[in-house]
Amino acid sequence: MTERAAKDSRIRSGEPRGQDQQGQCVALRGEILTFLADPEYPNGDLNPDAWQHWSDGLVICRNGRIEAIGPADQLLPLLETDCALHDVRPGLILPGFIDTHIHFPQVDVMASYGETLMGWLNQYTFPTEQRLADATIARETADFFLKELLRNGTTSAVVYGTVHAHSVQAFFEASEALNTRMICGKVLMDRHAPDGLRDTAEQGERETRKLIETWHGRGRQQVVITPRFAVTSTPEQLRSAGNLLREYPDVYLQTHLAENRHEIETVRGLFPEAQDYVDVYDRHRLLSPRSIFAHGIHLSDRERERLSQSGSQVAFCPTSNLFLGSGLLDLAGLEAAGVTTSIATDVGAGTSFSLLQTLAEAYKVTHLQHQRFSPVKAFYRITLGNAKSLGLEAQIGSLAVGSEADLVVLDPEATPLLARRMQRCQSLQERLFAWMMLGDDRAISSTWVAGRCLHRRSAEPRKKEPTA
Ligand code: GUN
Ligand code: ZN
């Protein structure tokens, strides 16, 4: 057999070539979709120059980064012999998904019955977060959580720990071992929370500072300053969070905003001098292009305007908003006002780790308000769109040469229903819509982090793929 013929037979069989254990060189052959820009014009027309799509493509990753991408027939002859080749056809290769708002300690709160925000926090969430006072539980929960993200194709996330600094330490240690790009923060909460879950403004600042100095920019780990929300932080603590945000110019800030009407009334009572909820955060200098506000459902025009001016973003969490009965986010209204938006699960009020399921619920929430939520834009949102909202588009969210090699492979035949529905689809758009409406963790056949396969779905109904 010639070298070329040997290569082709390996490609057909899906056998790995070379070795990729060190993440040195690995190539995936399959259908590929990646975005260059927002694919939707403001009038809803699609811009076909905003994405790249190869029905038979090859993406080559070396030392954890994308080295080359293009049509398989052009790139295969150039493949170095040290490169492990994985044939994932008929899978669709995408950049790894990004979740901009999620709580790792809340995996054990998911699916807790019958409450709205404040009752849910008091009855289920705070007691669960109290358990992470035990560092062993924190570590085990972080490990489980990260595995669950990868099972769902999510390779980066903006994550809440608990008030215990060791929970974030445990999270970063687990993430560093996997080499996932994660952004995590210690919850700041110095009032209106039960014993064992309160810090003080001084302690919160000291512990956050220490986490920043230890972890921010160490490998792929980054820190986010995390006042839980205005209800559970004194003005002194919010001021301290604002000071930290100015002091560390590439650290993020996250909190919750205008999720629930009762919450908004409580905030009004606690901060009578503020014009509205956004103004509470504004007065403490928490608005910035690095600030992520979860929910933002019940906002006035003035509040939207101020979020837009400051470059702050709203994380849309549809499964959570439906589960807690919080309301329907006016996504189009926010975007028309110039507010940056991202999309997130908000586990544990969110009901799924799957960003595919999150897109399905986002479609329904916007559809109820007669808004467009096209499948191409939807997949842009969970990849490059979310990366851009975090200013991380040079690192993650696309398969551009030089990007970090985080990838996900979607299986069009993940379930009998999906396989059947896919056969009727006539365009990429139709197939993307079927994946987001009918897909979940079962549709993720493999997840790759910095060029290494960290998840491969075990019950592979179609064929057995090689383990990396
Ligand atoms: N508001 C304050 N804390 C939380 C939380 O943990 N989850 C949600 N959904 N909203 C919050
Ligand atoms: Zn949340």
Side-chain angles (χ1 to χ4, degrees):
M1 222 189 307
T2 63
E3 198 186 328
R4 177 70 196 270
K7 184 188 287 179
D8 283 348
S9 81
R10 279 190 301 260
I11 292 163
R12 276 193 301 278
S13 71
E15 284 302 308
R17 217 181 63 142
Q19 61 96 26
D20 61 354
Q21 293 299 317
Q22 311 309 315
Q24 283 174 347
C25 187
V26 62
L28 272 69
R29 181 180 185 178
E31 184 179 357
I32 301 177
L33 175 66
T34 181
F35 293 92
L36 303 167
D38 186 336
E40 214 173 71
Y41 292 117
N43 70 0
D45 289 349
L46 290 178
N47 169 11
D49 295 333
W51 68 87
Q52 292 176 301
H53 175 234
W54 294 275
S55 45
D56 182 10
L58 191 75
V59 54
I60 305 174
C61 315
R62 186 178 288 279
N63 295 328
R65 291 187 183 270
I66 308 289
E67 184 180 60
I69 186 164
D73 60 348
Q74 284 177 26
L75 287 182
L76 280 170
L78 307 176
L79 203 57
E80 307 272 344
T81 49
D82 69 337
C83 208
L85 178 62
H86 298 266
D87 187 344
V88 301
R89 288 174 296 172
L92 173 69
I93 302 164
L94 289 158
F97 302 153
I98 301 165
D99 190 338
T100 61
H101 180 85
I102 187 163
H103 302 249
F104 98 75
Q106 293 182 13
V107 290
D108 299 311
V109 184
M110 293 177 81
S112 295
Y113 179 82
E115 281 294 343
T116 53
L117 176 63
M118 301 305 227
W120 175 83
L121 283 172
N122 288 317
Q123 190 173 332
Y124 303 118
T125 308
F126 290 156
T128 301
E129 293 191 7
Q130 273 169 323
R131 294 180 65 240
L132 276 80
D134 179 337
T136 310
I137 295 179
R139 180 60 201 242
E140 185 279 328
T141 309
D143 284 340
F144 178 88
F145 173 90
L146 283 160
K147 253 192 219 132
E148 198 62 21
L149 285 183
L150 296 171
R151 288 185 60 256
N152 283 277
T154 300
T155 49
S156 286
V158 188
V159 182
Y160 276 63
T162 61
V163 75
H164 317 99
H166 66 243
S167 73
V168 180
Q169 175 76 18
F171 181 83
F172 279 137
E173 284 169 6
S175 174
E176 184 174 60
L178 297 170
N179 198 21
T180 41
R181 180 171 283 284
M182 291 288 158
I183 305 172
C184 186
K186 176 204 119 65
V187 168
L188 301 171
M189 190 155 60
D190 65 348
R191 64 170 167 180
H192 298 149
D195 290 348
L197 278 191
R198 287 187 309 276
D199 56 9
T200 64
E202 185 279 322
Q203 180 193 358
E205 177 172 330
R206 178 168 32 83
E207 291 178 346
T208 300
R209 197 183 289 286
K210 184 163 177 220
L211 285 167
I212 293 171
E213 279 160 13
T214 311
W215 287 103
H216 190 68
R218 172 165 149 177
R220 303 186 79 195
Q221 313 313 314
Q222 292 173 280
V223 174
V224 52
I225 301 157
T226 307
R228 182 175 211 118
F229 65 157
V231 176
T232 49
S233 284
T234 57
E236 187 191 359
Q237 184 161 68
L238 293 181
R239 202 167 311 114
S240 145
N243 291 342
L244 285 171
L245 185 64
R246 307 292 135 179
E247 185 178 336
Y248 294 99
D250 58 351
V251 166
Y252 297 91
L253 178 128
Q254 65 180 346
T255 190
H256 296 90
L257 168 69
E259 177 178 6
N260 167 289
R261 297 210 182 269
H262 177 51
E263 168 208 9
I264 294 169
E265 282 314 307
T266 306
V267 170
R268 207 189 306 281
L270 291 169
F271 296 89
E273 68 290 356
Q275 294 182 62
D276 48 43
Y277 203 158
V278 166
D279 192 43
V280 171
Y281 292 140
D282 206 0
R283 284 165 174 257
H284 298 93
R285 304 201 303 160
L286 301 181
L287 273 53
S288 84
R290 290 172 285 126
S291 303
I292 304 149
F293 294 97
H295 310 299
I297 301 170
H298 310 285
L299 294 173
S300 65
D301 289 348
R302 195 209 77 82
E303 290 176 292
R304 292 175 182 194
E305 174 67 24
R306 194 57 202 113
L307 290 172
S308 165
Q309 276 172 354
S310 62
S312 303
Q313 72 171 280
V314 167
F316 174 26
C317 309
T319 73
S320 164
N321 298 164
L322 295 171
F323 179 72
L324 291 178
S326 305
L328 305 179
L329 181 78
D330 175 8
L331 183 67
L334 268 180
E335 292 182 343
V339 180
T340 301
T341 62
S342 59
I343 189 152
T345 61
D346 192 27
V347 161
T351 52
S352 173
F353 274 80
S354 170
L355 279 161
L356 298 175
Q357 281 295 291
T358 304
L359 292 178
E361 300 310 290
Y363 173 79
K364 296 172 198 169
V365 166
T366 51
H367 201 37
L368 272 169
Q369 301 171 89
H370 312 290
Q371 298 175 6
R372 192 177 49 242
F373 197 83
S374 80
V376 174
K377 175 82 179 252
F379 278 79
Y380 165 79
R381 287 180 188 276
I382 59 171
T383 57
L384 185 59
N386 276 0
K388 278 190 165 176
S389 79
L390 300 170
L392 288 176
E393 65 273 24
Q395 286 82 22
I396 54 174
S398 86
L399 303 180
V401 170
S403 289
E404 296 168 357
D406 294 344
L407 305 97
V408 58
V409 180
L410 294 193
D411 183 354
E413 300 165 357
T415 63
L417 175 62
L418 194 60
R420 184 182 170 102
R421 180 65 185 86
M422 285 288 178
Q423 282 178 1
R424 313 286 302 177
C425 291
Q426 304 201 336
S427 66
L428 174 64
Q429 277 95 319
E430 284 182 24
R431 284 188 298 128
L432 292 176
F433 195 55
W435 259 311
M436 72 184 235
M437 297 311 298
L438 301 177
D440 52 27
D441 55 324
R442 294 167 297 177
I444 308 300
S445 60
S446 59
T447 307
W448 302 71
V449 171
R452 290 175 63 217
C453 185
L454 293 193
H455 164 69
R456 196 179 295 278
R457 198 188 49 210
S458 51
E460 176 63 89
R462 183 169 46 81
K463 66 178 181 192
K464 199 165 177 302
E465 284 180 4
T467 45

